[in-house]
Amino acid sequence: MALSGLDIFKLLPKTNCKKCGRPTCLAFTMQLAQKKANIEECPDVSEEAKAALAGAAAPPIRKVTLGGDGRAFTVGEETVLFRHESKFFNPAGVAVTVDDTLDAAGLTARVERINKLSFVRVGVTIQVDMVAVRNVSGKAEPFAAAAKAVAGATKLAMMLVSDSPENMKAAVAACASRAPLIHAATPANFAAMAAIAKEKKCPLVAKAPDLEALAALAPQIKSAGIEDVLLDLTMGDIRSTVEALTTVRRAALKKNFRPLGYPAVVFAMRDDPFEEVAFASTVMAKYAGVIIMSCTEPWQILPVLTVRQNIYTDPQKPIQVEPKLYAIRDPGKDAPLMFTTNFSLTYYSVEGEVEASRVPSWILAVDTEGTSVLTAYSGDKLNEKVVAKAMQAAKVEEKVKHKKLIIPGHVAVLSGKLEEETGWEVLVGPKEASMLPTYLKTIWPQHAPKN
Ligand code: SF4
């Protein structure tokens, strides 16, 4: 039975400690009652209270962990339609296909390419999560052989794609420790597929011609003993797919409609690689849990992973770097010193350009609560006093023998006050980070201390 707001409030610690990111326990209660928060966000809640709250606070979209003893990831358990209402919690997984018609060398080469689809962006590693082995041959033996070979060649999570229970049984047996995601249980084969999933403790994708049939099928799979269900919401074109994803998300969140309260799987493969990237990026934003692609080129995968990184960032907490003095390329006491803000995108833009210039330098990341230069300046989070304090905290006087500070061109207006506040000479740097290499190689040498 659902608990009232008052019931929920009584179970919380009522210390108003703010550790959950809300100002009071009452505010947290309201969000729990509206299913916009997760009870795990309160670190001090008792186990008894958690158990009592489980029904009321359980997210309307089931959380499912994929990956077995490989590299696992979690999808689902989302609580909002729009990220600005709270945030999206569990980033969608990106899977890349491997067909069982490939010969051994071709399969190994493709999996190696997939393993390398890993990038560092704004200081964070973003990478592909899963390999989807497709039973294109239609036969059990090559499907099982491909599943076994993939399991041996990657630690990524695995998915097996076949409508044949017989072929699926053979392939699952070949990689059972990976608890592969089984695709798919249909109205025609769900009993057999559910039996395989139950025996090997694998998650199972439900697939039906339309949402009505899917809403009938998912409870049947659950009744067969499978809790970890996902829904295939690929509906042909991009518009129909987004409509289905939105309808299901709304039904789960707004109506608490349990038959469709599961993460979604979408096949984004297209003949045109650009269209595939656009399709995958669109369903990443709304509201896929696992996206299957056929591309293995970095230029195709990186945009999708970038969308994911942006969509799943907490909109209330910008990605930040630690505010401190960073040494680039082992700078000495003659090296230039510049400051920027601790907003990750800003900091890494500056760092990347300084690295590219090959000029050893010091970069002071000033704490502006993760906001960019102009945003921080207009919100008075970046002024002469804040910069002076950051310089003192970082002991910059001990790091360089000159007293020259390069400031972002966008805040040239700070020059006078900053010179008064610090006693340092202020040099106005470029407005855009992309101009830093030229600045460091041509302008800075005119100001650098002479030995
Ligand atoms: Fe209350 Fe828990 Fe939030 Fe602290 S973390 S304010 S105790 S709900």
Side-chain angles (χ1 to χ4, degrees):
M1 193 179 72
L3 298 175
S4 70
L6 187 59
D7 294 332
I8 297 172
F9 181 66
K10 283 180 186 165
L11 291 164
L12 294 178
K14 296 188 280 296
T15 57
N16 297 332
C17 70
K18 301 186 177 62
K19 288 184 210 162
C20 60
R22 280 77 177 180
T24 60
C25 294
L26 187 59
F28 188 56
T29 300
M30 307 286 279
Q31 295 209 315
L32 271 179
Q34 293 167 19
K35 303 198 186 308
K36 289 182 179 174
N38 184 329
I39 188 61
E40 299 291 341
E41 291 175 68
C42 172
D44 299 330
V45 75
S46 68
E47 289 304 317
E48 296 72 34
K50 270 190 205 170
L53 283 165
I61 299 172
R62 184 175 173 80
K63 175 165 102 174
V64 180
T65 298
L66 306 167
D69 66 0
R71 221 185 64 210
F73 66 101
T74 298
V75 293
E77 204 176 34
E78 299 299 340
T79 57
V80 291
L81 278 173
F82 304 105
R83 64 194 281 274
H84 64 258
E85 296 174 313
S86 166
K87 66 173 186 173
F88 291 172
F89 287 88
N90 290 305
V94 173
V96 178
T97 57
V98 170
D99 293 348
D100 68 353
T101 44
L102 287 171
D103 61 23
L107 184 144
T108 304
R110 187 168 171 86
V111 176
E112 274 176 14
R113 280 205 302 280
I114 296 169
N115 283 337
K116 288 182 183 153
L117 292 170
S118 173
F119 315 87
V120 175
R121 184 174 176 273
V122 289
V124 178
T125 300
I126 51 177
Q127 56 197 328
V128 158
D129 309 277
M130 183 176 244
V131 176
V133 186
R134 296 198 306 165
N135 186 205
V136 176
S137 70
K139 297 176 189 155
E141 202 178 309
F143 192 35
K148 187 174 178 189
V150 169
T154 185
K155 281 286 168 201
L156 296 175
M158 287 180 63
M159 175 176 185
L160 299 174
V161 184
S162 176
D163 285 345
S164 160
E166 186 190 341
N167 298 359
M168 186 61 76
K169 190 168 185 176
V172 169
C175 60
S177 72
R178 307 300 285 274
L181 174 59
I182 296 177
H183 183 287
T186 65
N189 72 11
F190 80 87
M193 286 293 193
I196 298 167
K198 192 172 180 187
E199 185 193 344
K200 300 294 185 187
K201 298 188 173 56
C202 296
L204 181 58
V205 181
K207 179 180 155 195
D210 53 48
L211 292 186
E212 210 170 309
L214 204 52
L217 177 61
Q220 288 178 297
I221 293 172
K222 188 167 191 279
S223 300
I226 309 299
E227 295 288 343
D228 286 341
V229 177
L230 291 91
L231 308 174
D232 186 343
L233 295 182
T234 320
M235 295 288 164
D237 65 11
I238 192 163
R239 177 180 170 165
S240 311
T241 302
V242 170
E243 276 177 2
L245 286 160
T246 307
T247 303
V248 166
R249 183 80 154 232
R250 277 187 182 281
L253 295 188
K254 298 297 177 193
K255 308 284 184 197
N256 206 14
F257 187 63
R258 294 290 171 182
L260 294 178
Y262 299 101
V265 167
V266 174
F267 285 80
M269 292 108 74
R270 289 291 179 274
D271 291 336
D272 177 345
F274 294 98
E275 196 183 325
E276 178 165 330
V277 172
F279 194 141
S281 300
T282 304
V283 297
M284 179 66 78
K286 277 180 183 285
Y287 294 108
V290 177
I291 300 166
I292 299 99
M293 301 181 69
S294 60
C295 311
T296 57
E297 291 296 328
W299 68 263
Q300 295 163 319
I301 297 293
L302 180 57
V304 179
L305 298 178
T306 300
V307 171
R308 176 173 74 182
Q309 190 182 24
N310 290 335
I311 292 288
Y312 284 87
T313 300
D314 185 341
Q316 270 93 45
K317 292 183 195 155
I319 329 173
Q320 306 177 22
V321 296
E322 186 186 349
K324 65 173 190 178
L325 187 64
Y326 290 86
I328 312 297
R329 290 184 167 260
D330 197 17
K333 292 206 163 202
D334 290 341
L337 166 69
M338 67 202 81
F339 86 77
T340 186
T341 74
N342 74 323
F343 176 42
S344 284
L345 270 178
T346 303
Y347 173 78
Y348 282 108
S349 300
V350 171
E351 191 208 80
E353 296 296 344
V354 173
E355 271 285 353
S357 77
R358 299 176 178 272
V359 177
S361 304
W362 298 98
I363 305 177
L364 178 63
V366 176
D367 187 358
T368 56
E369 298 170 28
T371 52
S372 63
V373 172
L374 280 177
T375 309
Y377 175 70
S378 57
D380 204 27
K381 289 177 183 159
L382 182 63
N383 55 40
E384 69 283 1
K385 294 199 184 321
V386 171
V387 177
K389 199 169 156 199
M391 289 169 71
Q392 274 176 6
K395 299 192 168 92
V396 292
E397 299 220 14
E398 297 173 17
K399 303 290 181 182
V400 293
K401 69 180 184 196
H402 57 78
K403 291 184 82 177
K404 296 169 196 272
L405 176 67
I406 302 168
I407 71 170
H410 278 301
V411 287
V413 68
L414 282 181
S415 302
K417 286 186 178 172
L418 194 50
E419 287 194 342
E420 276 174 30
E421 186 72 27
T422 61
W424 283 46
E425 180 185 349
V426 168
L427 306 175
V428 177
K431 286 187 175 172
E432 303 303 330
S434 58
M435 295 305 293
L436 272 169
T438 307
Y439 181 91
L440 292 172
K441 284 193 247 181
T442 60
I443 309 288
W444 167 252
Q446 298 168 26
H447 299 274
K450 308 285 181 262
N451 290 317

